Amino acid sequence: MKKAILYINQFFGQIGGEDKADFAPVIKEGLIGPAIELNKQLDAEVTHTIICGDNFMGSNTDEAIDIILDFLKDKEFDIFFAGPAFQAGRYGAACGTICKIVKEKFNVPVISSMHEENPGVEMFKKDMYILKGGKSAAKMRSDIKDMANLGNKLLKGAEILGADKEGYYERGIRHQVWREDKRPASDRVVEMLIKKLNGKPFNTELPIPKADRVPIATAIKDLSKSNIAVVNTGGIVPMDNPDRIQSASATRWGRYNIEGIDDLKGGIYKTIHAGFDPAAADADPDVIVPIDALRVYEKEKKIGKLHNYFYSTVGTGTTQAEAARMAKEMIPYLREDNVDAILLVST
């Protein structure tokens, strides 16, 4: 019988939450978390589950890879899975990182699943099959099923169809195929043109992605005369989170007055960000929103003025569309107060 191995993070590996994100890799025989459902759906036996903390993979990548490759060197497996990673950016990057190296070292098929907003998609879709997954673990069962279905085809040596039919992200690989309907390109293009001229829907065979390019702003000539504002996606808010900003997948933002404040104090401000250990930011919110350092620059005349407000939201899981909307809502306030530049700080 064919054999498979699954990689998951500390949360789905039942080790712990964000407090265990520095968990070093371990390999366990048998089925843990998502491996149970994968084993049911797959025409192969999931023999081992690898668990690694998202922070450990992100901060100690080479060490994590070496440990996992050492785990695998004496294991028999025909296919390797990672995730599903949903919309979790660090998890997606970890899944892509380990899948890519396993594919290179062991020459076996690798599969993961991520939501379209997961940065791991753009980072790794050309290197491997990444299926289009759900935003959250609520889609775990269906995402696992999709991963297993594609895995079963790969294990059987069946023909893998195009991205639109199999449900994975386009990999940028072009090759010739014989169409079942045997319609020549000339007929297809004329049909598309007629539909377009008549305002009817049609599907292009060569989609051109829309590039969201932001022009580079003109450099500030004299910082010592400039009004500088701080915008952060690290979730720094007053203790009561008055704007009810979500800790992930944010759709809200806040604007907080700092007139006369030289330092953001723990116990008065905190982070509500769910994507990292909050201990350091809660103890000293200046590590994310550096009001203390900017006040020093202001007194030393390195900047003309620190804007009277800082702006806050949460970046983890937040879609590009929501981020753009929130930015457009902030801009009128910044323009009204003649802000010359924005310091955008993240985590």
Side-chain angles (χ1 to χ4, degrees):
M1 188 176 187
K2 300 283 187 179
K3 296 179 180 180
I5 292 176
L6 174 66
Y7 170 96
I8 51 179
N9 72 356
Q10 80 283 356
F11 180 79
F12 293 105
Q14 302 171 6
I15 300 298
E18 192 59 37
D19 59 320
K20 298 294 183 180
D22 291 311
F23 184 79
V26 296
I27 187 168
K28 298 191 177 184
E29 287 192 26
L31 310 174
I32 297 172
I36 298 171
E37 184 64 23
L38 180 62
N39 195 61
K40 292 178 183 177
Q41 303 284 345
L42 194 65
D43 296 335
E45 178 189 2
V46 180
T47 59
H48 296 80
T49 307
I50 295 173
I51 306 167
C52 179
D54 286 336
N55 281 356
F56 192 95
M57 177 62 79
S59 302
N60 308 278
T61 305
D62 292 341
E63 183 182 355
I65 288 172
D66 288 344
I67 294 171
I68 293 171
L69 291 181
D70 190 58
F71 290 157
L72 296 174
K73 66 183 181 182
D74 61 349
K75 303 293 186 295
E76 294 183 13
F77 61 103
D78 302 283
I79 193 167
F80 188 88
F81 295 88
F86 311 111
Q87 204 174 12
R90 286 175 302 160
Y91 191 16
C95 289
T97 296
I98 197 60
C99 279
K100 182 178 179 181
I101 198 69
V102 167
K103 179 183 175 184
E104 292 172 355
K105 295 293 184 181
F106 296 96
N107 194 31
V108 297
V110 296
I111 298 174
S112 188
S113 169
M114 304 178 199
H115 185 262
E116 62 183 353
E117 293 283 349
N118 194 311
V121 174
E122 287 300 317
M123 293 168 67
F124 295 104
K125 67 180 182 180
K126 292 183 179 180
D127 302 304
M128 52 188 282
Y129 291 112
I130 303 178
L131 289 156
K132 297 179 179 179
K135 289 182 67 173
S136 70
K139 294 291 185 180
M140 175 70 79
R141 191 178 299 274
S142 61
D143 285 358
I144 287 287
K145 183 177 180 179
D146 291 342
M147 290 168 67
N149 287 342
L150 182 59
N152 288 336
K153 293 189 73 172
L154 288 166
L155 289 169
K156 294 173 183 175
E159 180 185 5
I160 304 300
L161 304 176
D164 58 335
K165 292 183 174 61
E166 299 287 5
Y168 58 84
Y169 293 99
E170 293 182 354
R171 303 175 65 196
I173 299 173
R174 299 178 65 184
H175 55 88
Q176 292 182 325
V177 296
W178 291 104
R179 291 175 60 95
E180 293 181 5
D181 59 15
K182 295 186 171 56
R183 294 185 66 222
S186 56
D187 288 355
R188 302 197 309 274
V189 73
V190 168
E191 180 181 319
M192 281 190 281
L193 178 60
I194 291 171
K195 286 182 177 180
K196 184 174 182 179
L197 292 172
N198 286 280
K200 295 181 179 180
F202 65 93
N203 292 319
T204 178
E205 295 179 12
L206 186 62
I208 305 297
K210 294 181 179 179
D212 185 12
R213 298 188 182 278
V214 178
I216 297 173
T218 304
I220 294 175
K221 293 181 180 180
D222 189 352
L223 276 173
S224 68
K225 297 178 181 178
S226 298
N227 184 4
I228 308 297
V230 182
V231 177
N232 85 100
T233 59
I236 300 298
V237 298
M239 289 298 291
D240 60 349
N241 187 14
D243 297 290
R244 299 294 180 263
I245 300 172
Q246 302 94 328
S247 59
S249 301
T251 60
R252 303 190 188 107
W253 59 277
R255 175 176 182 257
Y256 307 112
N257 194 306
I258 50 171
E259 289 183 77
I261 295 176
D262 292 338
D263 187 12
L264 296 186
K265 301 288 188 182
I268 299 175
Y269 297 90
K270 67 176 182 179
T271 179
I272 43 88
H273 197 293
F276 60 87
D277 187 334
D282 285 346
D284 181 8
D286 289 298
V287 299
I288 292 179
V289 182
I291 301 303
D292 54 353
L294 289 167
R295 286 298 187 204
V296 172
Y297 276 15
E298 186 180 45
K299 291 173 183 176
E300 293 176 350
K301 305 299 183 184
K302 290 181 179 178
I303 62 174
K305 180 183 185 298
L306 179 59
H307 180 49
N308 288 334
Y309 296 84
F310 76 85
Y311 299 73
S312 191
T313 188
V314 166
T316 185
T318 300
T319 67
Q320 182 175 330
E322 290 292 349
R325 176 190 57 77
M326 287 189 280
K328 289 176 181 177
E329 292 174 358
M330 294 176 191
I331 286 170
Y333 293 97
L334 296 163
R335 283 181 172 163
E336 182 180 352
D337 288 329
N338 298 312
V339 168
D340 297 299
I342 296 167
L343 180 63
L344 179 60
V345 289
S346 182
T347 51

